Amino acid sequence: MTASASTPNRPTPNSLLALAFPADPQISPDGQRVAFVLSRIEEEDPLKPDAAFARPRYKSHIWLSDGGSARAFTAGEGRDTSPRWSPDGTHLAFVRDAGGAGGQLYVLPLAGGEARRVTTLKHAVQNVQWSPDGRFLSFLSLGDDEDRRDERGEPRVITAPRYRFNGEDWLPVRPARMWRLDVASGALTEWHAPAVAISAYAWRPDSQGVLFVSAQDDLRAAYWQQEVWDLPLDGAPAQRTRWNSAITAVVPHPDGERFALVGRPDGQGNTEHTHLYLVGADGDATRLDAGHDHPVGNAVGGDCHVGAMPERPVWLDDTTLLFSSTVRGSCGLFRATVDGTVTPHDHRPDGVIAAFTAVPGGVALLRERADVFPEVELNGVAVTDLNARLPFPARAPQRVTFPTPLGEGEGWVLLPEGDGAVPALLNIHGGPHTDYGHAFTHEFQLLAAQGYGVCYSNPRGSVGYGQAWVDAIHGCWGSVDADDLLAFFDACLDRVPRLDRERTAVMGGSYGGFMTNWLTAHTTRFHAAITDRSICNLLSFAGTSDIGLRFWHDELGLNAWRRADTPALWDMSPLQYVENVRTPTLIVHSALDHRCPVEQAEQWYAALVQLGVPTRFVRFPGENHELSRSGRPDRRIRRLQETLDWLDRWLGTAPTAS
C-alpha cells in the first residue's frame, strides 16, 4: 500500500483501519437486549506479521447490550456472525468461521459456559433462524457437496440460464438446501432440496413449517419471477402465490393463514418501487402502502456497512406492520396497518436507519447521519460510541437544490475546513434506483479532508422522491438524468463560492460509472474522470452480466436479442461516443464483478488507449461489485489511494486556509 503519512485531523486511506463496523442488530425476545456483530480490521495472523506484506482482514465478534454500553460476548481469531436469540432468551445461536473452513453453527448459553458447535458441514451455514417454539434451528447450506472441477482441470458444462453471480462466482450445481436441527437431540435433517435457490424464508407462528421464496424454474429465477411456498415439517412444499415477479421478503401473519410480502407486482419493471402486500389464504394480495409513495427498505448509499443489514418487516400486533422506507435522502421506520394506513414510527429526515429488528416490546437498529458514524441503538438509546473512534472530525454537508420539470431536486456539497478554493468533484451514485443522502460515507469524508469539494445528488431515476421521479428515466438513460446531474453541478458551482470551476472531476460506480463514461463522451468540461465498476456497452452487458437476461427489458423496455431494439441500446451505450472523450480517466474494476463484468472496463480502456486519452486501468483480483463498500480492507485502501493520486495528478489541491 502506498498511502501517504497521516497528519493531525487529515485522514488518509489508512484511516479506514481505525473504524469498527456494526451490523446485524438482533433484538431479544423480551425487547430489552440486543446482540450485534462488530467487525474490526486486524492483521490476518497476528502471530506471524509480515511487515513487507501487511494483509489486514475483517475480524468479527458478537457483542451484547442490555441498554448500557455494549460488551464483547465472543472472542477468538475466527469471524463470528449471525447472532440469533432462542425464543426463551436463554441461548444465542451464531455462525463461526474459523480456519477458512466455512461458517458453522454454534449455540452459546447466555448464563455462561462454552459455545457448542452443532454442525460439521463442509460448506457454510447461512440464514439461521429459530422455530418460534425453540425446538428447531433452521438454516441454508450446500452441506457436504464438493465441486472440484476447477482443481482437476475439468470443463464446466453449463446448461442453466444463470451460472455465475456477483459475490458467489460460479453457482453450485444444485442450490443450498434447507436444514433443520433438533436442538435437544442434536439430530440434523436435510429438510428440503429445492430445484431453484431459496432467497428468503420465515417460520410460521405455529412452528409447523416455513414460508420460503423461490422460483418455479431456473429461467423464471433469472427473470426474478418468484413465488412464496409453504414447507411443512413433514411433506412437500405447496405454492401459495401466483406472483410471477420479484419478492424480497415474506412475513407470516400471527394468525398463521395470511402473510405479508415485500415485492413488485407482476408486469412492473425495475423502476417500480418495492411495496408491502398482505396475502390472504386464497392468494389474493392487498397493497398496504398504497398511500406511501416511497419504496420499502433502505436504498441510501454508504460505505460503512460490513455484514448483514436486516430490514424484514415485523408484525407488532395483528393489524400493524413495522417496516423501513427510503424518503428523499433518509430512511426511517414506518407503521402500516391492514387497512392501508401508513404513519411514521421513527423517521428523522436528516438520518438513516440502515438495519433493524423488532418485537412488540422493543426495537434494535443501526442509525447514522452524514456526519455521524453508524451506531447501534436499543429502544432509542445508543449502546455503542463508534463515532468516537473516528480518526478525523467528520464534516456535515450543505444542501443544494436544482430545478426539474418534476419539481425541486436536491443534493449536497461536502467541503474541507477553511475558506480557500477547492477542486469540485461530481460524484454519481449507482443503481440507478438508489439514493444519496444522509448516510455516513468514509470516502466522501476522506475526499473532503484531503481538500476536495464533494458534490452528490439524486437526479431523476433515484428513489425516495416518488414513483414518477423513478419512472422518468425508463427507457432513456443518459437523458434527463444527465440533465439533472449537470444542473445540480452548475448550481453547486454558482452557490458555493469555494468550488473551483477550473478544477473539476466526475466520478461514480456502477450506473454512476456508466454516467461518468456518458458525460465524458458528451462534454469536455471535466478535467478528470474516475469510472468505477462501470458500463459502457449495453449490448455486451446483456450477455455477460449476472442480471443481463432481464435487466434491459425491466429497466428500459428493450431486449438485446431483438433486432429492432439493438439500435436503441447501442444509442445509450457510451462506447458509441467514445471518440469524443478527451478527459483523463482512471478506470477501476474488479475481476470477479459479475454485476458489471470486467469486460466493460476492458472495452472502455482499449478505446481510450487507442484514442490517446490519458488512462490508467486498476484491475483488482478476488473482488466483486462490492469492493468499495465491503471489499478486503487492503484493497479498499489501495482503491482510495489510486483515487487520490489521480485527482492530485490532474487537479492538484491548494492548501486550505486555516
Side-chain angles (χ1 to χ4, degrees):
M1 295 176 288
T2 61
S4 57
S6 297
T7 57
N9 295 335
R10 185 177 171 91
T12 70
N14 279 329
S15 63
L16 188 74
L17 299 175
L19 305 181
F21 306 93
D24 207 0
Q26 294 289 323
I27 190 79
S28 63
D30 63 2
Q32 301 306 304
R33 293 172 291 175
V34 59
F36 62 94
V37 178
L38 191 66
S39 297
R40 302 170 185 265
I41 300 174
E42 300 176 5
E43 190 68 28
E44 184 176 32
D45 184 351
L47 300 179
K48 298 179 181 180
D50 184 351
F53 183 50
R55 298 199 298 179
R57 299 292 187 272
Y58 299 110
K59 296 293 178 66
S60 304
H61 297 109
I62 311 299
W63 286 57
L64 289 180
S65 170
D66 58 5
S69 296
R71 66 189 188 280
F73 188 62
T74 66
E77 289 303 314
R79 295 189 66 179
D80 296 340
T81 60
S82 305
R84 298 295 182 265
W85 296 90
S86 63
D88 62 6
T90 62
H91 290 75
L92 200 68
F94 66 94
V95 174
R96 171 168 288 171
D97 185 354
Q104 297 299 309
L105 185 59
Y106 287 71
V107 177
L108 182 59
L110 272 296
E114 295 297 321
R116 177 170 58 96
R117 180 173 175 173
V118 295
T119 63
T120 55
L121 301 171
K122 292 181 179 178
H123 285 277
V125 166
Q126 298 175 324
N127 203 338
V128 177
Q129 297 184 33
W130 290 85
S131 61
D133 62 5
R135 179 184 174 188
F136 298 112
L137 275 165
S138 59
F139 57 87
L140 298 173
S141 177
L142 293 172
D144 290 329
D145 287 0
E146 284 191 305
D147 184 352
R148 303 178 67 180
R149 285 176 291 178
D150 289 349
E151 179 184 339
R152 294 168 175 163
E154 297 176 6
R156 286 183 175 269
V157 179
I158 297 165
T159 58
R162 293 188 305 175
Y163 51 92
R164 301 184 92 169
F165 200 76
N166 189 68
E168 297 184 55
D169 201 17
W170 293 109
L171 291 176
V173 175
R174 58 176 184 157
R177 273 83 70 201
M178 179 78 73
W179 300 75
R180 189 176 73 216
L181 175 79
D182 188 300
V183 178
S185 69
L188 182 62
T189 302
E190 184 179 303
W191 187 3
H192 176 56
V196 183
I198 294 172
S199 60
Y201 78 94
W203 277 90
R204 288 169 19 193
D206 62 4
S207 298
Q208 294 305 300
V210 297
L211 299 179
F212 69 83
V213 177
S214 186
Q216 292 177 320
D217 55 54
D218 287 331
L219 185 59
R220 287 184 174 93
Y223 282 93
W224 288 3
Q225 295 170 346
Q226 296 176 303
E227 306 294 345
V228 174
W229 308 74
D230 191 339
L231 175 65
L233 288 178
D234 297 298
Q239 188 173 333
R240 288 288 304 272
T241 61
R242 291 292 184 269
W243 196 254
N244 200 41
S245 188
I247 300 173
T248 58
V250 58
V251 191
H253 187 274
D255 66 13
E257 294 295 326
R258 295 175 290 174
F259 58 88
L261 67 80
V262 178
R264 297 188 182 96
D266 186 15
Q268 298 297 322
N270 202 52
T271 57
E272 179 75 12
H273 284 158
T274 49
H275 300 303
L276 195 59
Y277 295 88
L278 181 63
V279 182
D282 58 2
D284 289 341
T286 302
R287 183 176 161 189
L288 300 181
D289 61 345
H292 183 71
D293 195 16
H294 301 285
V296 176
N298 175 37
V300 186
D303 62 0
C304 292
H305 300 156
V306 177
M309 294 288 141
E311 53 180 1
R312 185 173 70 186
V314 175
W315 287 103
L316 298 180
D317 53 41
D318 289 354
T319 63
T320 307
L321 261 175
L322 186 68
F323 70 101
S324 63
S325 179
T326 301
V327 179
R328 302 184 72 83
S330 68
C331 182
L333 299 183
F334 295 80
R335 292 172 179 247
T337 58
V338 293
D339 65 2
T341 302
V342 175
T343 55
H345 175 82
D346 182 354
H347 174 226
R348 302 177 187 177
D350 65 345
V352 169
I353 294 175
F356 84 98
T357 56
V359 294
V363 178
L365 54 83
L366 297 184
R367 193 190 306 273
E368 62 191 290
R369 285 199 331 238
D371 59 341
V372 178
F373 194 80
E375 304 282 9
V376 180
E377 287 188 12
L378 174 62
N379 298 325
V381 177
V383 299
T384 57
D385 190 16
L386 300 172
N387 195 65
R389 293 175 55 95
L390 290 178
F392 54 85
R395 305 279 294 169
Q398 65 184 77
R399 184 172 178 264
V400 175
T401 62
F402 58 95
T404 81
L406 292 180
E408 183 181 80
E410 69 174 344
W412 298 266
V413 178
L414 190 64
L415 292 170
E417 295 182 8
D419 56 12
V422 296
L425 312 179
L426 174 60
N427 198 299
I428 308 169
H429 68 62
H433 311 306
T434 59
D435 196 59
Y436 269 153
H438 304 292
F440 187 90
T441 306
H442 170 264
E443 181 174 338
F444 289 179
Q445 294 287 342
L446 171 67
L447 290 169
Q450 288 282 347
Y452 296 97
V454 186
C455 309
Y456 52 101
S457 69
N458 291 320
R460 278 173 283 178
S462 308
V463 300
Y465 298 83
Q467 188 63 60
W469 192 270
V470 184
D471 289 340
I473 66 167
H474 179 72
C476 56
W477 281 22
S479 60
V480 299
D481 45 356
D483 294 342
D484 285 0
L485 288 164
L486 295 179
F488 162 71
F489 196 52
D490 286 338
C492 293
L493 296 174
D494 291 341
R495 299 175 203 170
V496 184
R498 291 185 62 193
L499 296 177
D500 186 350
R501 62 181 67 241
E502 299 304 319
R503 291 185 295 164
T504 64
V506 59
M507 57 198 301
S510 197
Y511 165 82
F514 160 87
M515 189 54 69
T516 297
N517 297 341
W518 181 269
L519 289 177
T520 57
H522 287 81
T523 177
T524 57
R525 64 177 294 175
F526 296 100
H527 303 89
I530 301 175
T531 184
D532 199 332
R533 58 191 187 281
S534 75
I535 301 171
C536 70
N537 184 341
L538 274 60
L539 291 171
S540 64
F541 175 93
T544 56
S545 170
D546 61 358
I547 59 173
L549 291 182
R550 50 155 285 276
F551 192 69
W552 297 137
H553 177 268
D554 280 3
E555 182 65 35
L556 304 174
L558 300 171
N559 190 321
W561 294 275
R562 190 162 52 219
R563 185 178 180 184
D565 290 351
T566 55
L569 288 168
W570 183 237
D571 284 345
M572 278 183 273
S573 298
L575 193 62
Q576 181 180 177
Y577 314 99
V578 68
E579 63 183 333
N580 300 322
V581 176
R582 300 292 182 270
T583 309
T585 301
L586 172 66
I587 302 171
V588 179
H589 222 104
S590 296
L592 296 182
D593 188 338
H594 299 312
R595 186 60 37 85
C596 296
V598 70
E599 58 90 16
Q600 296 284 313
E602 292 167 344
Q603 291 187 68
W604 197 243
Y605 177 70
L608 295 185
V609 166
Q610 292 189 63
L611 293 166
V613 177
T615 308
R616 179 178 174 87
F617 182 10
V618 182
R619 192 178 192 272
F620 286 91
E623 295 293 340
N624 58 57
H625 200 63
E626 301 303 310
L627 167 63
S628 66
R629 296 179 281 252
S630 58
R632 209 173 77 178
D634 54 329
R635 292 170 179 159
R636 289 181 68 179
I637 291 170
R638 176 61 182 270
R639 174 187 167 277
L640 291 170
Q641 191 61 53
E642 290 283 350
T643 295
L644 289 174
D645 290 347
W646 191 257
L647 294 174
D648 185 60
R649 175 181 176 184
W650 295 101
L651 304 185
T653 54
T656 57
S658 60

